[in-house]
């Protein structure tokens, strides 16, 4: 029954009037319009405005801090790596990365990369589906471009604002950059775990090879790591890593970059043990001291340590790995049987260029660099006085007495072992006679100052950390003991001085750096190939060399096959104990100059030979020196030093005014030690007694290099062998300031 039937009344349904219906129809477009304005036009406008305001840097301006690498002279052997604070990264060009590695990264992270506009709806959709279904292999919603923008421009803060900025930058970068540039930049910055940023560092971290050598299997494994670098490391979770690897390979098949047959034949690759790899290993062993020298040297030419540490520089040094390996081997062989605290240093320089070919300051890369440490030099310093004397016209045939020598005060200096009575400077050099050289030094126009000035001229640093002025007595004229090695110089200095003499008096700045290139391959610095600077006449240098030629054989260190050499041993005695604390051998061939020091870790205790006896220069230092040069020059031609022409006339020096020779002078009685001058002790080589035990010096650094001046003539004719005298080289205040800058 209807309502009408039950009530007897009709019921009407209310209908909107035409006016109301029309009004509703007019409201609906406005609602749509408002919706479009709020949710489409306004965001689009804001996006367009932001798009116009954002500026995307050029690819080169987004270069991230990168690892700098120091190489030996062969430009292949790595000596050191300098890792920036935020991680291990080395830039490589896209064409150095195999295409199958590039494709693997796209299969893992952005399969629509070549077609999308920096933002991928399909990628986002795939990520959403993956989240819903629990498929962790589906990947994230961010494109490669977005990931790169996040890593380099907007950061990874979790916020909508950051995400919008990321989207704007990604779209604009896609419109302004070449896609290859984006991919290249991404592959050089993305994190792969093991503190490896970029494909090159990752290739080394996981497979110990360059990126260009990766196999397809290895490339796919690395690509799979990007999603979760630490969790997908095969050494952490082998199963998860293999699952992700399979996902990448399947993607390559789906993209048409890999056939199913190829895919079926692939085997998951083995990775290196993380324990054998350290992203922060900068310079193992002896290389650490080479690294320090390189950094200091580059600072002198205007390349800061920060630039070296973060700039992705390729630094080629002068180190010859043949010489370097022979140096380390020689040191290890000779130091093995010695006391636990025995230490050694060895520096080898090319006399013709000043290039450091071998450098050993210790095996502790972060420890004390003995090759760069100020140490008492013993009788090796006699060559400085000899050069000064020759410069002043006192020839090698000049005779000097080896009688005891009275120093100012009450000290009487003797020679221990056989003296010569009265003999030439040639013989005095070979026998290293203290008293003869003290008399020679007394004959110099300015005495001990001339010895110091000649040492500086040949290459001994004028200042060192902790020593404001070297080779002086509190800033004044040095004591007589300078000729016997009383004052401190470095093994690097002594190798430099020998190089200058071996190069006929032409000094070259000792250097470790040959060339520096940035990540783009541009040369930032190259050591100038100049002619050096003449410091003494060629004939003075040649005469010193001639006097030193018999010494190696005299000290049981003659080079193999009778190869010509010039050498000088030296030792420093430890107080009145009769023991030695420093033992030296310095010398050269025409091709290489080498200085060797052997002592103890603190340089205040005695150094003994393998039998517990006193260490002399003819012991471990000479054996190291000989092994370095014999092995380094094994395949080199035999060369002779230029002939020396007599300087002055054979005569009797003023220092021979002494009583007739008495054999008792050679009895070896110990001399007194009231005066602060070292004294020779040993034969056939020598030992020098210091004024007092020396404390371990401050951390050594190279002194500032002298400025270069005009190049000298390296081939003077015999009729005009003399360069300007030492007096001419001296400034008005009596030092070598004008010469050394």
């Amino acid at each position: 029954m209807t309502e009408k039937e039950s009530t007897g009344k009709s019921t009407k349904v209310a209908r909107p009037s035409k006016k109301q219906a029309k009004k509703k129809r007019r409201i609906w477009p406005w609602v749509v319009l408002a919706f479009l304005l709020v949710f489409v036009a306004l965001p689009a406008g804001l996006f367009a405005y932001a798009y116009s305001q954002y500026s995307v840097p050029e690819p080169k301006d987004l270069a991230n801090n990168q690892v700098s690498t120091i190489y030996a002279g062969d430009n292949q052997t790595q000596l050191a790596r300098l890792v920036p604070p935020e991680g291990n990264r080395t830039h490589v060009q896209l064409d150095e990365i195999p295409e199958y590695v590039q494709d693997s990264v796209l299969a893992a992270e952005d399969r629509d990369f070549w077609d999308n506009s920096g933002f991928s709806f399909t990628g986002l959709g795939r990520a959403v589906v993956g989240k819903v279904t629990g498929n962790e292999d589906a990947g994230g919603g961010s494109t490669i471009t977005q990931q790169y923008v996040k890593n380099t421009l907007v950061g990874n803060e979790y916020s909508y604002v950051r995400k919008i900025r990321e989207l704007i930058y990604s779209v604009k970068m896609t419109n302004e950059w070449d896609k290859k540039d984006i991919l290249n930049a991404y592959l050089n910055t993305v994190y792969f775990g093991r503190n490896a940023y970029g494909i090159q560092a990752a290739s080394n971290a996981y497979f110990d090879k360059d990126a260009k050598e990766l196999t397809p299997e290895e490339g796919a494994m690395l690509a799979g790591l990007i999603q979760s670098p630490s969790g997908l490391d095969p050494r952490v979770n082998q199963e998860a890593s293999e699952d992700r690897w399979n996902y990448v390979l399947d993607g390559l098949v789906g993209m048409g970059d890999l056939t199913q047959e190829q895919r079926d034949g692939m085997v998951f690759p083995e990775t290196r043990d993380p324990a054998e790899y350290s992203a922060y290993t900068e310079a193992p062993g002896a290389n650490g001291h080479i690294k320090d020298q390189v950094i200091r040297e580059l600072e002198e030419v205007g390349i800061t340590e920060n630039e070296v540490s973060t700039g992705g520089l390729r630094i080629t040094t002068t180190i010859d790995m043949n010489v370097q390996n022979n140096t380390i081997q020689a040191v290890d062989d000779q130091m093995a049987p010695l006391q636990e605290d025995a230490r050694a240093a060895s520096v080898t320089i090319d006399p013709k260029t000043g290039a450091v070919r071998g450098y050993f300051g210790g095996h502790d890369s972060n420890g004390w660099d003995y090759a760069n440490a100020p140490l008492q030099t013993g009788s090796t310093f006699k060559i400085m006085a000899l050069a000064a004397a020759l410069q002043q016209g006192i020839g090698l045939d000049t005779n000097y007495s080896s009688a005891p020598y009275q120093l100012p005060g009450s000290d009487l200096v003797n020679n221990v072992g056989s003296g010569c009575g009265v003999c030439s400077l040639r013989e005095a050099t070979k026998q290293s006679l203290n008293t003869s050289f003290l008399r020679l030094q007394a004959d110099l126009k300015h005495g001990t100052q001339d010895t110091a000035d000649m040492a500086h001229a040949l290459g001994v640093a004028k200042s060192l950390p902790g020593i404001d002025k070297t080779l002086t007595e509190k800033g004044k004229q040095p004591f007589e003991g300078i000729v016997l090695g009383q004052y401190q110089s470095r093994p690097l200095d002594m190798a430099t001085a020998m190089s200058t003499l071996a190069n006929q008096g032409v000094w070259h700045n000792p250097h470790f750096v040959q060339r520096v290139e940035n990540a783009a391959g541009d040369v930032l610095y190259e050591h100038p190939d100049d002619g050096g600077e003449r410091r003494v006449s060629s004939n003075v240098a040649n005469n010193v060399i001639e006097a030193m030629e018999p010494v190696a054989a005299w000290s049981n260190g003659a080079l193999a096959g009778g190869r010509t050499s010039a050498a000088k041993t030296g030792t420093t005695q430890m107080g009145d104990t009769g023991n030695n604390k420093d033992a030296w051998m310095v010398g050269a061939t025409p091709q290489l100059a080498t200085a060797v020091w052997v002592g103890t870790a603190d340089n205040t205790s005695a150094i003994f030979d393998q039998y517990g006896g006193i260490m002399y220069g003819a012991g471990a230092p000479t054996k190291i020196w000989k092994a370095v040069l014999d092995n380094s020059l094994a395949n080199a031609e035999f060369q002779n030093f230029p002939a020396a022409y007599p300087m002055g006339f054979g005569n009797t020096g003023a220092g021979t005014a002494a009583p007739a020779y008495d054999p008792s002078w050679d009895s070896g009685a110990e001399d007194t030690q009231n005066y602060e001058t070292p004294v020779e002790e040993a034969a056939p080589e020598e030992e020098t007694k210091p004024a007092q035990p020396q404390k371990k010096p401050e951390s050594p650094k190279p002194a500032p290099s002298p400025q270069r001046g005009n190049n000298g003539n390296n081939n003077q004719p015999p009729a005009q062998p003399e360069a300007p005298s030492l007096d001419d080289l001296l400034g008005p205040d009596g030092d070598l300031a004008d010469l050394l800058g």
Side-chain angles (χ1 to χ4, degrees):
M1 182 181 296
T2 68
E3 184 178 349
K4 181 177 180 181
E5 291 174 339
S6 64
T7 60
K9 298 180 180 179
S10 64
T11 301
K12 264 184 155 184
V13 177
R15 296 175 180 271
S17 66
K18 292 182 178 181
K19 184 176 181 181
Q20 288 176 323
K22 187 175 182 181
K23 184 177 181 181
K24 285 186 178 181
R25 286 196 297 270
R26 287 200 301 266
I27 292 174
W28 174 245
W30 287 104
V31 172
V32 174
L33 180 60
F35 179 85
L36 292 174
L37 285 172
V38 172
F39 294 101
V40 179
L42 183 59
L46 291 174
F47 183 89
Y49 176 76
Y51 186 92
S52 68
Q53 296 301 306
Y54 279 34
S55 177
V56 176
E58 293 294 322
K60 61 181 179 62
D61 296 328
L62 275 179
N64 297 89
N65 290 346
Q66 301 173 41
V67 174
S68 291
T69 309
I70 299 175
Y71 292 94
D74 58 14
N75 209 23
Q76 295 180 342
T77 305
Q78 180 179 292
L79 299 177
R81 298 165 60 249
L82 289 90
V83 182
E86 78 276 16
N88 177 19
R89 178 184 291 112
T90 301
H91 186 91
V92 290
Q93 298 300 322
L94 192 62
D95 58 11
E96 297 178 75
I97 305 171
E99 283 193 18
Y100 48 77
V101 176
Q102 301 175 36
D103 293 336
S104 292
V105 172
L106 299 183
E109 296 297 316
D110 189 356
R111 297 179 183 179
D112 303 320
F113 172 76
W114 297 112
D115 300 318
N116 65 47
S117 59
F119 176 77
S120 173
F121 285 102
T122 57
L124 179 60
R126 188 170 60 247
V128 171
V129 171
K131 290 294 183 183
V132 173
T133 61
N135 179 13
E136 296 297 332
D137 285 335
S142 295
T143 64
I144 276 179
T145 310
Q146 286 176 276
Q147 292 180 47
Y148 177 66
V149 166
K150 180 180 70 173
N151 292 336
T152 59
L153 289 175
V154 301
N156 57 4
E157 176 190 0
Y158 187 77
S159 72
Y160 290 110
V161 173
R162 194 275 299 169
K163 195 68 178 177
I164 292 171
R165 293 179 66 233
E166 175 190 301
L167 177 61
I168 295 170
Y169 270 121
S170 298
V171 173
K172 191 161 188 176
M173 182 176 286
T174 301
N175 291 332
E176 295 185 2
W177 285 25
D178 188 287
K179 280 280 190 175
K180 289 185 177 180
D181 289 336
I182 297 175
L183 180 59
N184 191 206
Y186 176 81
L187 289 172
N188 278 294
T189 55
V190 67
Y191 185 56
F192 288 89
R194 298 193 184 183
N195 200 44
Y197 291 81
I199 191 67
Q200 177 71 5
S203 181
N204 181 48
Y206 288 91
F207 299 109
D208 195 20
K209 61 174 64 174
D210 289 336
K212 62 185 178 183
E213 299 171 350
L214 288 170
T215 66
E217 292 91 339
E218 293 167 345
M221 196 223 78
L222 290 179
L225 294 174
I226 297 174
Q227 185 189 65
S228 179
S230 298
L232 293 174
D233 186 327
R235 297 281 179 162
V236 175
N237 192 331
Q238 173 86 13
E239 183 179 356
S241 186
E242 286 197 38
D243 287 345
R244 184 65 179 170
W245 178 72
N246 284 319
Y247 169 79
V248 174
L249 293 181
D250 290 341
L252 287 171
V253 173
M255 293 163 62
D257 296 316
L258 191 68
T259 66
Q260 188 62 47
E261 183 180 3
Q262 291 172 322
R263 190 256 181 272
D264 293 340
M266 289 184 169
V267 178
F268 189 76
E270 286 291 324
T271 59
R272 70 188 299 190
D273 186 348
E276 72 178 34
Y277 165 79
S278 172
Y280 289 104
T281 299
E282 294 187 352
N287 293 348
H289 301 307
I290 296 175
K291 178 203 72 174
D292 292 342
Q293 291 283 3
V294 166
I295 290 175
R296 293 184 187 115
E297 189 172 316
L298 290 179
E299 284 182 334
E300 292 179 1
V301 299
I303 300 176
T304 67
E305 183 173 356
N306 181 63
E307 291 175 290
V308 174
S309 299
T310 63
L313 305 183
R314 183 182 185 91
I315 303 165
T316 304
T317 69
T318 59
I319 297 297
D320 182 328
M321 288 311 300
N322 178 43
V323 178
Q324 183 71 6
N325 290 335
N326 288 325
T327 297
I328 294 174
Q329 187 64 55
V331 169
D332 289 347
D333 289 347
Q334 295 304 318
M335 300 303 286
L338 302 185
Q339 64 211 65
E340 186 177 350
D341 67 340
R343 298 291 186 271
S346 178
V347 181
T348 298
I349 296 177
D350 182 345
K352 294 179 176 60
T353 64
V356 178
R357 300 304 188 193
Y359 189 87
F360 178 84
H363 278 301
D364 184 354
S365 62
N366 297 310
W368 196 257
D369 182 357
Y370 292 95
N372 197 44
L375 301 159
Q376 289 183 304
T377 55
S379 286
T380 60
F381 233 66
K382 288 173 180 171
I383 63 177
M384 312 300 181
L386 179 59
L390 288 161
Q391 185 82 1
Q392 295 180 21
I394 302 175
L396 294 180
D397 294 321
T398 304
N399 292 319
Y400 280 89
S401 169
S402 64
Y405 184 81
Q406 184 71 54
L407 289 170
S410 60
D411 292 332
L412 186 67
V413 180
N414 292 300
N415 295 303
V416 176
S418 58
C420 70
V422 174
C423 59
S424 70
L425 285 175
R426 299 175 189 274
E427 188 65 23
T429 300
K430 184 179 77 171
Q431 295 191 36
S432 194
L433 300 174
N434 291 340
T435 57
S436 299
F437 273 89
L438 285 167
R439 289 183 168 90
L440 170 66
Q441 183 173 249
D443 277 355
L444 299 178
K445 185 173 181 180
H446 301 101
T448 60
Q449 190 60 52
D450 285 346
T451 301
D453 290 340
M454 180 56 71
H456 289 316
L458 295 179
V460 173
K462 297 186 72 176
S463 65
L464 293 169
I467 306 177
D468 185 47
K469 293 183 178 180
T470 62
L471 310 182
T472 71
E473 190 57 39
K474 298 178 180 178
K476 299 181 180 180
Q477 184 158 334
F479 286 154
E480 282 83 352
I482 185 174
V483 72
L484 306 181
Q486 175 181 4
Y487 298 99
Q488 294 177 329
S489 297
R490 304 168 299 175
L492 178 61
D493 294 330
M494 299 307 294
T496 302
M498 277 307 309
S499 293
T500 303
L501 292 170
N503 196 36
Q504 300 185 74
V506 175
W507 169 88
H508 284 277
N509 188 20
H511 61 281
F512 290 79
V513 179
Q514 188 61 43
R515 185 173 59 259
V516 180
E517 301 168 77
N518 63 17
D522 301 321
V523 177
L524 304 182
Y525 169 79
E526 191 155 15
H527 186 81
D529 184 14
D530 57 30
E533 181 179 285
R534 178 161 297 286
R535 293 298 179 84
V536 296
S537 74
S538 58
N539 204 35
V540 165
N542 294 343
N543 270 267
V544 176
I545 291 294
E546 182 179 288
M548 297 172 68
E549 286 189 40
V551 173
W554 177 260
S555 301
N556 300 314
L559 297 183
R563 185 184 293 274
T564 298
S565 71
K568 186 72 188 74
T569 56
T571 49
T572 306
Q573 186 175 337
M574 192 182 74
D576 294 325
T577 64
N579 297 318
N580 293 332
K581 73 180 187 68
D582 301 285
W584 290 79
M585 178 62 159
V586 303
T589 68
Q591 296 106 314
L592 295 174
T594 300
V596 177
W597 167 87
V598 173
T600 58
D602 61 7
N603 198 224
T604 62
S605 54
I607 179 70
F608 300 99
D609 64 21
Q610 60 182 316
Y611 306 109
I614 299 173
M615 177 68 76
Y616 295 114
T622 293
K623 293 177 181 177
I624 293 172
W625 177 85
K626 173 177 166 57
V628 170
L629 292 179
D630 277 348
N631 294 321
S632 298
L633 297 173
N635 297 319
E637 63 176 333
F638 280 55
Q639 294 182 7
N640 294 318
F641 291 108
Y645 297 91
M647 307 283 296
F649 301 94
N651 54 60
T652 299
T656 59
Y661 175 69
D662 183 339
S664 66
W665 292 343
D666 298 326
S667 63
E670 289 192 41
D671 55 290
T672 59
Q673 273 296 294
N674 296 327
Y675 188 67
E676 296 185 357
T677 301
V679 184
E680 284 290 281
E681 291 243 343
E685 77 290 339
E686 68 294 335
E687 182 174 348
T688 301
K689 187 181 293 184
Q692 56 187 1
Q694 298 293 313
K695 294 182 180 180
K696 186 175 179 179
E698 296 294 327
S699 180
K701 294 180 181 178
S705 301
Q707 296 177 358
R708 286 183 175 79
N710 295 328
N711 299 335
N713 179 8
N714 197 29
N715 299 300
Q716 294 187 12
Q720 297 176 337
E722 294 294 327
S725 68
L726 196 58
D727 286 340
D728 293 331
L729 296 176
L730 296 174
D733 56 350
D735 62 26
L736 285 175
D738 293 339
L739 174 65
L740 298 181

